[in-house]
Structure formats: C-alpha cells, structure tokens
C-alpha cells in the first residue's frame, strides 16, 4: 500500500532539538544501553540524592518488577516550581482561560504558583495529611486543580484526580477503593455555560458505604453558588489556606514512592487504580514533553485535555511545569460560545503549540472552514493529537485548514498506564503520514504479536506489545498487584500487552487500529463494556445486557447496548430513555448510550458465553459478515436481532 508522506519541513528541522540523524543515533543508543541513556537524561531533574541504580525492571513473571532510579530521592513540586524561581520567577506558569470569553484570563507566575502550592501544602499538613495518605481531587478546570496536585506532591500525599463529569456513584467507588482521607472540590464547575454540581455530588458520594475514611472536604468557591456546608467535615478552601506561609518544606521522596493514582476502565470489573511513582514518571513526562513538542523557552503551550485524565496530568501539569513552560488551562469547551473558541483562544494568548483530541477535530471539521478562517492562528507552530486513532481525513483538515500546512502534526500514541507518549513523530525528525503515530520514542521497544504470541517481523498487523520497561510505566494496580500482572503481563509472557491492535508498514511506521479487548474508546475516553453492562442490569426491569462499540462519526466509537427485559416487562420509548438516563446517572455523562436495541435473547455459545463478535457486526449493520455462527446455542436469536436492526 502506498501512503502519502509529508516530509519533515526543513525550516522546522533547522532549529529543532531533534533531527532525523540525532533521533536515529540516540534511539539506537537508548536501546543498546538504556542504563547509560536514562542516567544521562535523569540529569534534567533536580535530585536530592542522584540515583546510581537506573533500570532494574524485569517482565519475567517469576522475577517480576518495574523499578527505576531506586536509590534516587527528589520532590516533584520543587522540580516543577522552586528550581524555576531564580530564572523564571515572573514567567507565566499557568495561563488560565475561563469558560466565558468576556471574563478575565489569569496569568499565574511561577513565583505565585509556588506560593499558592506552599500555602495549600501547609494547610494539608495542618489538617493531618501525611506522606502516603490519599487525597481525592474532584475539581473543574481551574488553577486550584494544579495547585492541589502539586501540594500533594510537595508533602508526599498520593493524589487521585476524579474527572468532574463522573457521577456520585463513580466518585464514591474511587474514594472507597483508595480510602481517601480528604477531598478537594468546588461549589460548582462550569463547562460551555452549564453548571456541574460538584459539591452536591460529593455530598451524595459520601453517603455511600466505604467512604467513611474521608474526614475533610475542602471546597473552592468558584461560581459562588450556595452549597450546604456540613461542619466540621466541610471547610472553605480559601479559609484554610489563608494565613498559611508561602514556604513549605518539601518531603524528600524516594523515586519509587507513589505520586498518584488515576482510575481507568478495563475490560472487566471495576475501574483500576493505575499507580504512578515519582522519579521515573516525572522524568518521562518532562522529557517526552520537551522532545515531542520541540519545546522552546518562549512557547505558549496548550493542551485541551481535562486534568481528570492522564493527558492532563502529564501534559498540562507535570511535564510542562517540570520544563518551566507556560501551560494554558482552559475551563471551557470547543463550541462555546461558538465554534471558533479554540482558534480565538489561540489568537488571544498567542499559543504556539496546540494539543487536542481527534473527536474535537472531527466535531469542528463538521462546522466547515469558516469558523477557523475568521481567526489568524499565526502564532501556531506545532499541532498534536491524542486519545484515539485519527482518521486521515480529520488529520488533513487539521494540518491544512487549522495549521495551513505550516505546522507539523504529531499523532501521539500512549495510555494511562504508560505515563507518557510512547509512539509519535518528532516534528523535526520524522516524516509524517496522516493516520500514523509513526515511530517509537527513545527507549521504547514496540512489537507486534499474533494470537499465539509469536513476534511478527517486517510489515505486519497484530497485537501491540512492549518488550521492555520505560521510566513512566505504571507500577501496579493500587491495592491489587495480582490484577496488574493478570491484565498486562500474562497474555504474552515476557512483554507488556497494550490492549491495542496495530499495523506496521513497509517503512516501519506504526498505525494503531484500536482496542482489541472489551474496552470502548468514546471521544478518547475509555469505557469498559462490563461497567455499562453492570449499570444496566442494576435497573430493576433489566434481565440481561450486552454492550459493544460501533463506529461513530464524531466520537470515534459509540456505545451500543443490547438489553433483555425481565419477563412481563415491555419495551417502550419511555423505558429506552429511562435506561439511558439511568446509566448516565450511575456512571456519568461519558457513559451516554448511543443506540439501545431490545434483545429478546442474546447470542450465546452452548456454554453460555455471549458472542460479542456477532453483536459487534450487527451493531455495525454488517449482517453478512457474522462469520462462523455454528457454535451458537440458538441461531434464531441472531436472525431476530439482525431483522430488528435492519428495520430500525
Ligand atoms: C487508549 C488509551 C493517552 C492519553 C489519552 C487516552 C487509544 C490513545 C492514541 C493515538 C490511536 C490512541 C489507544 C490506547 N489511543 N492515543 N494517538 N492513536 N489510539 O488514554 O484513556 O488510557 O486510553 O487510547 O486505544 O490504548 P487512555
């Protein structure tokens, strides 16, 4: 197959930190001698004790460990703040853009951010938070979210950020799983002119069993809405930080001490608490951020993710701040007040690097070129995408209409589990191909395996695995190390299984094809089919449910649910709406079912296993591609579903 190739722009390469030659040389070095390579790169951080032990990881199950820089000591907050004060004290660290464009933006300097973090860190200590305690952050996209993360890091508390779109039940599950002692929230969040009742959601969550470890709730006054405060549990954030000193002695952390937990959906069971540690994570977030975005001192860098996802952790907060960059934090959405908002913000703040998700690009592409073209975007020099495969059409629109062919597009593949970018072009080094994440980052050894685990060479398609560790790799599933090993290391022994399918072309470029497990990627967010199914069967009228993903023009994948009602219950439009609302209530707005089909029966094998492969084909409306259905217990069930789908 021939692919369009967009060669590296010589003008970009002329000033880039990494060129094709240096990438080839340094990548080879990183694979040949990872200890030497990463020991040298580790010098970009400020260590209290410089590590002498580098990579001690081993994926073999009889001697398993993921361990980096084990004798190193450092503090993440001092790396993100204190060390910049001498040279960048007055530089803007966080440039906050509010939901409403007519309200003032905030420019928070490194000096001011350092002081705010110090005050909160002191307040947390005073409230009894000690090293290793868990603190849950349930905030909108306001500077306090970054302040809270860094304040935890300063005193060695482990943060767990929960996306503000999650329901009280989802929040409760995450609070309970890690026995959080303290919650930081706001009266309300705002997004696209709508209000999100965050404090009320926390109140609801804390009524659920398992959340009794929570002693304190700090509430940021953001919209000013009246919220009931339950004393002595609830405290105004403003009041507790007031009068605290700006200076706060940082806790010396071992490189392998936990930094944060971030919950993510898997193919089975409840969300997993992905645990990241201190030294390797920070080094990897900062180094990938500097290389992939070819970062310069005067860049204004904007990643549109929410801090509730790993992209926000690594590429709004930790990577950019460790690098002393100016990072834009945006409270709003791309279509409020209109479809020019992204481009208006770029012009307003002279953004040079812009990093967003394919789903946002597709939604804006649908509105045509006019909302883009009425803006300048002259400040832009680099574009990036993350979260899901980008279709070549959307890639081209981004490159041509948004970037006017001036800006390289980096399609960055990674996962919550990987901590940072693993496969991506480097803008001064890599020829681009619309739809391909192209080449592995330094130190990354991707491989493709067939169903039996045999490694495929050359141009091939298979399951994507990684043959060795990298500093930003997750260390465990919080509280369940066995699940960590089972999920990632048992499928293909000796390697880390990503859960993604992938193709490698003749040039050695990688093309991620999407999840091969029962995880759906909706607008770049992971939803486990099992989670949606268990929410559905929790409804009193539902007997059984099966959920699959199907192609969706804007979201990439949509959620398709097959529902069998209890005997005596009848399908109706009202019940369909009720079930969809019920699932959103149980999980959160990201679990919006796009299509719900009534299923008098579900296709099962004779041993009772639901045949999702068949359900996926029916959802895609490809009934002639059902494949082998000879193992079905009752073929009539399938004929029924196909007929209903066709007639719908
Ligand atoms: C899954 C990870 C990484 C931060 C955001 C999502 C998919 C991610 C790409 C990309 C194709 C991608 C994969 C991956 N994915 N980036 N550039 N091209 N697919 O993090 O929620 O942990 O999801 O997102 O399927 O496994 P996440």
């Amino acid at each position: 197959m021939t692919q369009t190739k967009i060669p590296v722009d010589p003008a970009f390469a002329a000033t880039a930190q990494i060129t094709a030659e240096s990438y080839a040389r340094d990548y080879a070095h990183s694979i040949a001698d990872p200890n030497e390579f990463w020991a040298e790169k580790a010098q970009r951080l400020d260590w209290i004790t410089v590590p002498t032990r580098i990579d001690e990881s081993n994926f073999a199950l009889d001697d398993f460990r993921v361990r980096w820089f084990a004798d190193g000591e450092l503090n993440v907050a001092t790396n993100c703040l204190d060390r910049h004060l001498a040279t960048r004290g007055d530089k803007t660290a966080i440039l906050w853009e509010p939901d409403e464009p007519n309200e003032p933006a905030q420019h928070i300097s490194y000096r001011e951010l350092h002081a705010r973090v110090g005050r909160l860190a002191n307040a947390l200590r005073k409230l009894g938070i000690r090293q290793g305690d868990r603190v849950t952050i349930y905030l909108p996209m306001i500077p306090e979210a970054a302040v809270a993360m860094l304040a935890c890091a300063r005193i060695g508390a482990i943060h767990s950020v929960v996306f503000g779109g999650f329901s009280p039940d989802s929040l409760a599950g995450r609070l309970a799983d890690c026995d959080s002692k303290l919650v930081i929230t706001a009266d309300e969040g705002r997004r696209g002119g709508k209000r999100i009742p965050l404090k009320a959601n926390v109140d609801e969550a804390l009524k659920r069993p398992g959340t009794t470890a929570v002693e304190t709730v700090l509430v940021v006054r953001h919209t000013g809405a009246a919220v009931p405060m339950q004393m002595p549990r609830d405290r105004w954030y403003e009041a507790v930080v007031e009068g605290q000193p700006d200076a706060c002695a940082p806790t010396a952390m071992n490189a392998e001490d936990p930094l944060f937990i971030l919950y993510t959906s898997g193919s089975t069971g409840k969300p997993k608490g992905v645990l990241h540690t201190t030294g390797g994570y920070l080094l990897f977030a900062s180094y990938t951020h500097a290389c992939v975005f070819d970062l310069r001192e005067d860049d204004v860098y904007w990643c549109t993710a929410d801090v509730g996802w790993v992209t926000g952790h690594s590429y709004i907060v930790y990577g950019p701040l460790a690098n002393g960059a100016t990072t834009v934090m945006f409270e709003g959405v791309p279509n409020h007040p209109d479809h020019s908002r992204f481009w208006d913000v770029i012009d307003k703040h002279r953004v040079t690097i812009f990093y967003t998700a394919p789903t946002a690009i597709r939604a804006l592409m649908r509105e045509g070129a006019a909302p883009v073209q009425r803006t300048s975007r002259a400040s832009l020099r680099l574009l990036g995408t993350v979260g899901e495969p980008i279709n070549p059409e959307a890639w081209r629109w981004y490159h041509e209409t948004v970037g006017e062919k001036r800006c390289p597009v980096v399609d960055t593949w990674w996962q919550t589990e990987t901590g940072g970018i693993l496969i991506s072009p480097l803008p001064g080094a890599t020829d681009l191909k619309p739809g391909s994440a192209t080449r592995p980052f330094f130190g990354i050894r991707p491989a493709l395996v067939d169903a039996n685990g045999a490694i495929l060479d050359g141009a091939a398609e298979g399951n994507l695995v990684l043959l060795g560790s990298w500093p930003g790799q997750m260390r465990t599933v919080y509280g369940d190390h066995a699940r960590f090993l089972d999920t990632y290391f048992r499928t293909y022994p000796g390697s880390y299984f990503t859960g993604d399918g992938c193709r490698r072309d003749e040039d050695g470029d990688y093309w991620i094809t999407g999840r091969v497990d029962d995880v759906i990627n909706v607008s770049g967010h992971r939803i486990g089919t099992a989670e949606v199914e268990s929410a559905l069967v929790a409804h009193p009228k539902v007997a059984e449910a099966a959920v699959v993903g199907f192609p969706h023009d804007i979201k990439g994948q949509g959620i398709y649910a097959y529902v069998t009602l209890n005997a005596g219950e009848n399908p109706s439009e009202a019940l369909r709406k009720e079930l969809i609302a019920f699932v959103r209530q149980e999980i959160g707005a990201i679990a919006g079912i796009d299509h719900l089909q009534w299923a008098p029966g579900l296709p099962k094998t004779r041993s009772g296993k639901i045949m999702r492969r068949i359900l996926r084909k029916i959802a895609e409306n490809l009934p002639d591609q059902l494949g082998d259905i000879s193992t079905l217990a009752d073929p009539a069930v399938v004929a029924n579903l196909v007929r209903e789908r066709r007639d719908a």
Side-chain angles (χ1 to χ4, degrees):
M1 207 189 329
T2 55
Q3 304 292 347
T4 8
K5 212 185 263 185
I6 297 162
V8 178
D9 175 357
F12 197 102
T15 61
Q17 290 168 43
I18 298 166
T19 60
E21 295 69 41
S22 70
Y23 168 73
R25 184 190 64 226
D26 294 349
Y27 179 76
H29 176 212
S30 73
I31 300 303
D33 195 343
N35 284 311
E36 190 181 89
F37 180 87
W38 289 111
E40 188 210 310
K41 296 305 167 205
Q43 293 172 19
R44 62 186 291 114
L45 299 184
D46 245 17
W47 297 87
I48 298 164
T49 309
V50 174
T52 62
R53 294 159 57 189
I54 310 299
D55 178 15
E56 298 175 334
S57 309
N58 183 358
F59 289 172
L61 286 166
D62 54 1
D63 190 23
F64 182 91
R65 71 202 107 79
V66 178
R67 192 159 69 208
W68 287 83
F69 312 115
D71 60 349
E73 281 185 312
L74 73 166
N75 182 278
V76 164
T78 60
N79 271 280
C80 291
L81 302 167
D82 307 45
R83 68 169 168 152
H84 303 312
L85 294 181
T87 51
R88 302 183 175 111
D90 296 319
K91 180 176 178 177
T92 299
I94 295 178
L95 204 175
W96 183 71
E97 170 69 20
D99 192 36
E100 295 298 341
N102 52 351
E103 289 177 15
Q106 284 178 30
H107 296 250
I108 302 168
S109 68
Y110 272 94
R111 198 181 322 286
E112 172 61 20
L113 186 62
H114 173 263
R116 288 207 208 178
V117 168
R119 287 196 292 271
L120 179 61
N122 283 319
L124 291 175
R125 277 205 182 121
K126 207 171 150 199
L127 289 163
I129 300 301
R130 300 283 168 258
Q131 180 175 354
D133 286 346
R134 274 78 59 210
V135 170
T136 293
I137 299 170
Y138 185 63
L139 282 171
M141 281 292 285
I142 55 177
E144 285 80 358
V147 172
M149 292 162 75
L150 292 162
C152 288
R154 192 157 196 102
I155 64 171
I158 305 170
H159 61 70
S160 160
V161 183
V162 177
F163 174 58
F166 278 117
S167 67
D169 274 325
S170 297
L171 173 62
R174 287 157 172 78
L175 288 168
D177 184 78
C178 67
D179 293 308
S180 266
K181 269 178 84 172
L182 187 139
V183 180
I184 305 178
T185 191
D187 46 10
E188 291 181 319
R190 309 186 299 183
R191 263 171 76 86
K194 295 198 195 87
R195 301 289 173 102
I196 300 132
L198 296 174
K199 172 61 165 61
N201 288 351
V202 171
D203 291 341
E204 272 309 302
L206 292 181
K207 290 178 191 156
R208 305 285 192 277
T211 59
T212 49
V214 175
E215 291 165 6
T216 311
V217 178
L218 296 186
V219 186
V220 176
R221 206 189 296 270
H222 179 48
T223 65
V227 291
M229 296 291 278
Q230 185 178 313
M231 298 303 173
R233 187 195 73 185
D234 301 347
R235 312 277 301 269
W236 290 107
Y237 177 101
E238 242 172 85
V240 304
V241 299
E242 199 182 76
Q244 288 295 329
D246 294 352
C248 172
T251 301
M253 304 291 286
N254 181 273
E256 282 297 343
D257 282 337
L259 176 63
F260 67 83
I261 300 166
L262 185 57
Y263 288 88
T264 191
S265 297
S267 49
T268 55
K270 53 176 189 150
K272 298 185 281 276
V274 169
L275 185 98
H276 282 289
T277 56
T278 299
Y281 170 80
L282 189 68
L283 174 62
F284 199 67
S286 100
Y287 187 50
T288 49
H289 179 256
C291 297
V292 173
F293 299 107
D294 186 45
L295 190 71
R296 300 179 196 173
E297 190 59 45
D298 57 356
D299 273 316
V300 176
Y301 162 87
W302 181 18
C303 165
T304 68
D306 191 286
V307 289
W309 312 112
V310 74
T311 310
H313 284 59
S314 301
Y315 298 117
I316 294 177
V317 179
Y318 290 120
L321 296 179
N323 291 334
T326 295
T327 180
V328 175
M329 198 172 179
F330 177 44
E331 189 187 15
V333 294
N335 58 359
H336 178 81
D338 59 43
H339 291 97
S340 295
R341 187 67 191 278
F342 274 176
W343 329 122
D344 281 337
V345 173
I346 287 170
D347 287 351
K348 178 175 173 189
H349 298 303
R350 299 265 161 268
V351 170
T352 58
I353 304 172
F354 180 69
Y355 190 31
T356 195
T359 188
I361 297 167
R362 287 191 298 263
L364 293 171
M365 183 168 94
R366 195 174 57 172
E367 304 299 322
V372 187
Q373 286 166 349
R374 70 159 195 72
T375 65
S376 150
R377 288 152 288 113
S379 56
L380 281 178
R381 66 179 192 91
L382 180 61
L383 299 170
T385 77
V386 60
E388 47 175 321
I390 181 163
N391 45 312
E393 195 196 356
W395 195 101
R396 283 202 189 85
W397 187 83
Y398 196 37
H399 185 243
E400 290 164 18
T401 303
V402 176
E404 295 170 349
K405 298 193 183 170
R406 275 184 298 112
C407 309
V409 173
V410 291
D411 172 0
T412 64
W413 174 85
W414 58 297
Q415 311 179 296
T416 305
E417 293 88 336
T418 70
I421 295 164
L422 299 198
I423 302 181
S424 169
L426 299 177
T430 319
D431 294 341
L432 305 173
K433 291 177 185 173
S436 171
T438 71
R439 299 298 170 103
F441 190 72
F442 300 116
I444 304 304
R445 287 193 288 150
L448 303 179
V449 296
D450 67 15
N452 304 315
I455 292 190
L456 306 167
D457 291 321
E461 183 160 351
N463 293 329
L464 180 63
V465 300
L466 297 158
L467 300 179
S469 185
W470 61 96
Q473 185 171 25
M474 74 182 283
R475 301 302 196 257
T476 191
V477 171
Y478 185 79
D480 196 350
H481 197 64
R483 190 172 175 199
F484 176 56
L485 299 177
D486 291 346
T487 308
Y488 305 103
F489 299 97
R490 277 195 214 286
T491 321
Y492 301 111
S495 53
Y496 166 87
F497 178 41
T498 62
D500 280 329
C502 183
R503 180 167 71 81
R504 186 176 46 226
D505 68 19
E506 307 72 26
D507 301 330
D509 287 316
Y510 289 83
W511 301 70
I512 310 295
T513 52
R515 303 289 308 193
V516 294
D517 53 7
D518 290 322
V519 170
I520 313 180
N521 190 324
V522 183
S523 304
H525 302 314
R526 265 154 77 165
I527 302 267
T529 51
E531 271 173 87
V532 183
E533 287 165 4
S534 60
L536 279 166
V537 298
H539 190 282
K541 292 183 180 167
V542 174
E544 203 172 21
V547 168
V548 297
F550 75 110
H552 187 288
D553 283 348
I554 303 288
K555 300 180 187 179
Q557 278 191 299
I559 304 179
Y560 198 107
Y562 296 87
V563 172
T564 308
L565 293 173
N566 283 326
E569 300 294 348
N570 292 313
S572 69
E573 230 5 75
L575 183 56
R576 186 199 307 271
K577 290 209 177 91
E578 183 182 322
L579 293 180
I580 292 172
F582 183 78
V583 172
R584 287 173 69 104
Q585 182 119 35
E586 292 271 308
I587 301 175
I590 63 165
I593 293 173
D594 296 279
H595 195 111
L596 189 151
Q597 179 172 349
W598 304 114
L602 291 169
K604 290 182 186 166
T605 61
R606 284 178 202 97
S607 60
K609 208 169 146 0
I610 294 176
M611 295 180 75
R612 284 162 196 288
R613 172 176 61 79
I614 293 178
L615 291 175
R616 275 193 282 268
K617 289 297 176 194
I618 299 174
E620 282 179 59
N621 218 349
L622 297 170
D624 43 351
Q625 293 180 24
L626 295 185
D628 180 14
I629 54 169
S630 62
T631 53
L632 270 175
D634 177 8
V637 165
V638 169
N640 248 321
L641 291 175
V642 169
R643 196 173 333 106
E644 296 256 324
R645 171 75 172 128
R646 193 189 54 219
D647 298 344

